[in-house]
Each structure stands twice: as structure tokens, then as C-alpha cells.
């Protein structure tokens, strides 16, 4: 993906949200549907289930595009959260407790963190580069956290590592990501 | 409000990735309603998820997938989005489980100034609310597994420190403690354990057995 691709994808979601732009939607489908399907299959879904859920994710994108806020997440991150939640609902049949995924403005008493208004499309490019540069043992834990649906105690056991080592690798990796995102916190 | 005790990065990461069980997701989500710093960390971890989605090997959709979606674009959405009740002091993520009023809950008295209320979630962890009148304490206990406690109202103290509204205490099996509610408002906590607590002494053990701790 070229630099600036994240910005282009964000603009496409905004076009769907503001104008129900079907050309933009098709471009988003072509880009995201196969990736969402790939993500779901990495997590163990069969082809048919992954196909159905990827279609649901794209429908959710269509319906909720007006709620997409480029100041809070990149398109890729937003679609990741949609796919993650659909999967928890459909495959694990669990509820997903969330702060308030649809209307953050409903919670005015919460002060906004400094980076909650940043340009996430640009940040995503920096983050992507930072993830690629993580030491291998840290990158491995981050990837397993997303693609192996296991508690970290189990990931540690399978890697033959003490849980403390896994936790400290996560802390180091998260510190790098924070740095890449220019977080002041 | 200043929060001094936060979930570890590994808990925030497993919440963001979706790997966390429903119970852990509930306590982390409830904590983030109090804590801008942890909301930011969750957003960072979700951004890592978005970034990984770039690199996941794509799998082709069926040849009819796009047509099939097009035919459904004009369907009305089934999903009804419920707005959180803002005047409530129950954190929004907890409202679907217990409603919006702590006083209206069917609290079960345990002993002394302590009552509790189990919350049903999937995934095998124990989740409950614990309500402690000022000055009352939970029996001294240790854990077989990890325990997480989020202070929803009031505050409590144990030998490891002071925990006020919004703080999340993580306790490992080595810790033996007797949390006691501070003077002031009633202390209500959300507690998640991944294994039963181990109480010291016969009476607490019988009480615990009776209440299903």
C-alpha cells in the first residue's frame, strides 16, 4: 500500500457516509472484503462463515459510514473493529462491552485525550512502519494477540516463556507504537 | 478525576484485539469510561489491528459477493442502537447488564456490611458486583488465579494501596489481602476472577461456599 493510501481510504468512507457513494463503496469492498475474510480465516473461520461475515462487515460499513470519524481512527482500524465485533457476536456468541462505539459525543463528561483528534490516516502509515521495525519477539506477541484469540498466559505457555516476559514484551511494543503515534500521554 | 491504578498493557491489548473474554472486556471497557489514558492505549492497539489488517493475506470473495451485497444496501438496518443513560453513575458498558440504578439491584447480603450480585457472562469467568458499606471489609482471601477489581463508587484500601473510583486493581495468586471500604460513600466494585477465591478460616469458607464465590 502506498503512502497516502490510508488517506484515500478514509476519504472513500467519508464519501459513502455523506453521499451514499456506490463507486466509493465498491472501491472499499475491493480493498477490504478480501482482507476481512483473510483475517477471519486466520482466526479459524471456515470459508463460508468468513465469506458471510465479511459481507456483513461491508454492509455494516455501508450503514454506519456516516458515524465514521477520521479524527478517531483510520478506515482500516475502523473496519478491523467492525470485523472483530461481528466475529465475537457471530462466532463466540458473546456480547462485546464497549465504551460507546456509535456515538462518542454521548459522553460529554469525558475529557478527550490529546491524540483523540489526531490525523489517524497519517498516523497509520507511521504505525505500520513502526510495527514492521519491532524486534521479532515483540512483533510475534503483537501478531499472536490479534490472530490467536488466546489469553496471554496461554500464549506464554505455548512459546515456553514466563508470563512476565510476554507482558514486558507487550509493554515495550506498546511504548514503540505510542512513540510512533506521537502520543504525549 | 485522577486514576492511579490502570489495567496492564496486556489487558488493554487483549481487549482491543478481541481476544479477551467477555468478562475481561467488560471490566476493561468500564474502566475506560473513567480513564482517558487507557482509552488512548486501546485506540493505539486497535490501530495496530488496522495495520495488521493491511498485511493479512487477502482471500478472494465469491464471484457473487458484491452483487449480493448490492441487493441488500437498501434493507433497513436490523440493529437498534441504544443510547447510554447519561445521568446514571453506572458506566455505559455495564448498563446492558445491570441497568442504570445501583440502588434498584437485588443485592444479596453476604455478611456484615457486604452484599453482592453475580453477573452472567460467557467464557467461564466469575463476574460480580460487590457492595461494601463504609468501614466493612471482605474476608481475607487469596486467589487461585488472577482477580481484577474496578471501583465504581466510593473507595477502598488494602495493604497494597488505596483504590478510588475508576481505579482497577489487578491481583495475582501470591497476594493475600483484606480490602476494606473507606469512610464516605458506599463502595461498589466490579470484580472479575478467573478461578475461585481462597478464603482463610472456616466461617468465611462456609459463607463463601453458600454464596458461590
Amino acid at each position: 500500500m502506498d503512502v497516502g493510501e490510508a488517506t484515500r481510504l478514509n476519504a472513500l468512507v467519508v464519501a459513502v457516509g455523506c453521499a451514499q457513494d456506490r463507486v466509493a463503496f465498491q472501491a472499499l469492498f475491493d480493498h477490504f472484503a478480501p482482507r476481512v475474510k483473510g483475517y477471519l480465516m486466520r482466526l479459524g473461520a471456515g470459508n463460508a462463515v468468513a465469506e458471510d461475515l465479511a459481507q456483513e462487515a461491508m454492509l455494516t460499513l455501508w450503514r454506519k459510514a456516516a458515524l465514521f470519524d477520521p479524527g478517531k481512527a483510520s478506515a482500516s482500524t475502523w473496519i478491523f473493529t467492525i470485523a472483530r465485533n461481528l466475529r465475537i457476536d457471530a462466532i463466540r456468541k458473546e456480547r462485546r462491552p464497549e465504551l460507546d462505539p456509535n456515538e462518542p459525543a454521548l459522553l460529554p463528561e469525558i475529557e478527550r485525550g490529546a491524540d483523540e483528534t489526531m490525523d489517524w490516516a497519517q498516523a497509520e502509515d507511521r504505525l505500520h512502519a513502526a510495527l514492521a521495525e519491532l524486534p521479532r519477539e515483540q512483533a510475534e506477541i503483537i501478531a499472536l494477540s490479534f490472530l490467536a484469540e488466546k489469553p496471554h498466559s496461554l500464549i506464554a505457555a505455548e512459546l515456553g516463556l514466563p508470563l512476565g516476559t510476554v507482558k514486558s514484551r507487550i509493554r515495550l511494543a506498546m511504548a514503540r507504537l505510542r512513540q510512533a503515534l506521537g502520543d504525549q500521554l | 478525576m485522577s486514576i492511579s491504578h490502570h489495567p496492564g498493557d496486556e489487558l488493554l491489548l487483549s481487549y482491543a484485539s478481541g481476544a479477551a473474554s467477555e468478562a475481561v472486556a467488560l471490566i476493561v471497557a468500564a474502566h475506560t469510561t473513567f480513564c482517558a489514558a487507557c482509552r488512548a492505549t486501546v485506540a493505539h492497539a486497535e490501530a495496530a489491528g488496522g495495520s495488521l489488517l493491511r498485511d493479512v493475506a487477502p482471500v478472494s470473495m465469491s464471484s457473487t459477493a458484491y452483487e449480493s451485497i448490492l441487493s441488500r444496501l437498501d434493507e433497513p438496518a436490523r440493529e437498534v442502537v441504544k443510547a447510554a443513560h447519561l445521568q446514571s453513575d453506572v458506566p455505559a458498558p455495564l448498563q446492558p447488564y445491570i441497568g442504570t440504578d445501583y440502588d434498584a439491584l437485588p443485592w444479596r447480603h453476604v455478611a456484615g456490611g457486604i452484599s453482592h450480585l453475580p453477573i452472567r457472562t460467557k467464557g467461564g469467568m466469575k463476574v460480580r458486583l460487590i457492595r461494601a458499606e463504609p468501614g466493612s471489609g471482605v474476608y481475607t482471601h487469596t486467589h487461585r488465579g488472577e482477580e481484577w477489581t474496578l471501583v465504581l463508587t466510593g473507595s477502598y484500601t488494602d495493604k497494597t494501596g488505596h483504590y478510588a473510583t475508576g481505579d482497577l486493581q489487578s491481583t495475582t495468586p501470591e497476594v493475600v489481602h483484606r480490602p476494606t471500604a473507606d469512610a464516605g460513600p458506599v463502595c461498589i466494585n466490579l470484580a472479575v476472577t478467573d478461578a475461585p477465591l481462597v478464603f482463610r478460616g472456616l466461617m468465611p469458607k462456609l459463607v463463601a461456599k453458600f454464596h458461590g464465590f
Side-chain angles (χ1 to χ4, degrees), chain B residues 133-158:
Chain B
E133 300 284 348
S136 55
V138 174
Y139 293 117
T140 302
H141 64 275
T142 178
H143 320 91
R144 290 200 190 98
E146 289 192 274
E147 179 187 53
W148 298 279
T149 309
L150 173 68
V151 186
L152 300 169
T153 69
S155 62
Y156 70 85
T157 303
D158 71 8

Side-chain angles (χ1 to χ4, degrees), chain A:
Chain A
M1 192 148 86
D2 305 326
V3 173
E5 182 78 342
T7 304
R8 187 181 72 87
L9 292 168
N10 273 16
L12 290 171
V13 179
V14 171
V16 172
C18 295
Q20 286 82 52
D21 182 334
R22 293 195 179 201
V23 177
F25 181 69
Q26 180 156 18
L28 289 166
F29 176 89
D30 290 343
H31 179 82
F32 283 116
R35 286 180 167 77
V36 169
K37 187 172 173 183
Y39 158 74
L40 295 165
M41 291 182 73
R42 267 301 299 270
L43 272 161
N47 186 69
V49 170
E51 170 88 19
D52 280 356
L53 283 179
Q55 290 196 27
E56 281 304 318
M58 296 313 294
L59 272 173
T60 305
L61 181 155
W62 172 260
R63 289 172 184 154
K64 292 192 175 172
L67 297 168
F68 172 66
D69 177 356
K72 288 206 70 195
S74 71
S76 187
T77 298
W78 187 58
I79 288 153
F80 160 72
T81 61
I82 288 173
R84 173 197 68 193
N85 292 0
L86 280 172
R87 184 178 172 281
I88 289 172
D89 182 57
I91 297 183
R92 277 167 33 190
K93 313 238 182 282
E94 285 180 16
R95 225 197 275 246
R96 167 74 185 177
E98 291 229 63
L99 175 55
D100 192 337
N102 299 304
E103 194 43 275
L106 277 175
L107 297 147
E109 78 276 17
I110 292 170
E111 55 184 283
R112 281 292 170 100
D115 66 341
E116 287 181 89
T117 50
M118 64 195 282
D119 181 340
W120 278 96
Q122 284 179 20
E124 189 189 290
D125 288 329
R126 293 198 301 275
L127 182 79
H128 193 249
L131 270 172
E133 284 166 15
L134 282 180
R136 202 152 55 104
E137 73 271 12
Q138 290 174 26
E140 179 185 36
I141 304 283
I142 297 292
L144 285 174
S145 301
F146 282 93
L147 301 172
E149 194 154 69
K150 285 173 187 164
H152 287 115
S153 54
L154 218 61
I155 291 176
E158 285 177 10
L159 294 174
L161 294 168
L163 181 56
T165 304
V166 167
K167 287 184 180 179
S168 73
R169 285 181 186 174
I170 289 169
R171 271 196 299 278
L172 290 169
M174 291 301 294
R176 291 278 190 92
L177 301 187
R178 256 178 220 130
Q179 208 175 19
L181 293 168
D183 186 7
Q184 304 302 307
L185 288 166

Side-chain angles (χ1 to χ4, degrees), chain B residues 199-211:
Chain B
F199 288 90
R200 296 285 175 89
L202 179 63
M203 237 350 251
K205 277 185 177 149
L206 290 173
V207 173
K209 198 169 171 135
F210 180 74
H211 286 282

Side-chain angles (χ1 to χ4, degrees), chain B residues 45-79:
Chain B
E46 286 177 340
S51 192
L52 287 168
L53 193 61
R54 278 193 189 189
D55 298 337
V56 156
V59 177
S60 299
M61 297 291 284
S62 71
S63 55
T64 55
Y66 188 66
E67 294 299 307
S68 149
I69 288 181
L70 273 189
S71 72
R72 294 176 62 196
L73 291 189
D74 297 320
E75 279 177 18
R78 276 168 297 132
E79 194 176 349

